Amino acid sequence: MKTFISSKNTFTVILLCSVVIFLIITLYLGLEKDGIQSPVIIIPLFIIGMFIWILTDTKYVLKNGLLLYYSGPFRGKIDIKSIRKIENHSGLCIPIFLKPALDYKGFIITYNLYDDIFISPENASIFLDELLKINSNIEVI
């Protein structure tokens, strides 16, 4: 089992942290001023928890021929033998729906017939080498 954490783009980290700080300040001021009711507190606390979870738990694990991806509550697995193509990608516009990543530089992985995912492992070359050890038929672009 090999674990690769997601690389983190400074912009993404600042954006997520800013939202968390804004929500904490808003909650504090609301509690101090009005004594907000508990149902109103739950939603911002849920969002704060989700963002912190995503920031601290976005990673990729290679285990038993599977690529497992984790990004907070968003999780999944891909059979490495089903990966057909891996394409390097860099840019803010990522043409993929599923993006368990914290950076805009990474890989677009095409697997099965029409499935795509964008990931951004911190040690990209080592990650790619490990995938190719398991499935040497992967086309790298």
Side-chain angles (χ1 to χ4, degrees):
M1 179 172 86
K2 299 198 180 202
T3 302
F4 299 86
I5 61 170
S6 176
S7 59
K8 293 177 176 72
N9 176 313
T10 305
F11 175 75
T12 304
V13 172
I14 289 172
L15 179 67
L16 291 175
C17 288
S18 297
V19 171
V20 167
I21 291 168
F22 172 76
L23 288 172
I24 290 171
I25 291 170
T26 304
L27 276 174
Y28 175 75
L29 293 176
L31 285 171
E32 187 177 85
K33 183 177 179 182
D34 300 329
I36 299 176
Q37 301 297 321
S38 59
V40 178
I41 295 172
I42 292 172
I43 293 171
L45 287 177
F46 177 76
I47 294 169
I48 290 168
M50 290 282 286
F51 281 2
I52 292 172
W53 191 7
I54 289 169
L55 276 169
T56 59
D57 189 42
T58 299
K59 63 184 174 191
Y60 318 103
V61 177
L62 303 178
K63 180 180 177 183
N64 299 329
L66 296 173
L67 165 59
L68 308 169
Y69 58 88
Y70 304 86
S71 186
F74 308 105
R75 294 154 187 268
K77 61 184 172 184
I78 299 168
D79 182 0
I80 295 172
K81 294 288 185 186
S82 72
I83 296 175
R84 296 183 298 115
K85 179 174 68 171
I86 297 178
E87 181 179 346
N88 271 318
H89 180 78
S90 178
L92 291 175
C93 183
I94 302 167
I96 304 297
F97 177 72
L98 187 56
K99 298 174 246 189
L102 296 173
D103 202 348
Y104 60 85
K105 296 177 185 175
F107 298 124
I108 296 174
I109 297 178
T110 304
Y111 61 101
N112 294 334
L113 194 55
Y114 299 111
D115 297 321
D116 291 321
I117 186 170
F118 178 78
I119 62 171
S120 62
E122 197 168 66
N123 299 320
S125 60
I126 297 171
F127 178 81
L128 189 58
D129 289 342
E130 291 296 325
L131 285 178
L132 290 171
K133 284 180 190 175
I134 298 169
N135 182 359
S136 59
N137 295 325
I138 297 173
E139 177 187 2
V140 180
I141 300 174

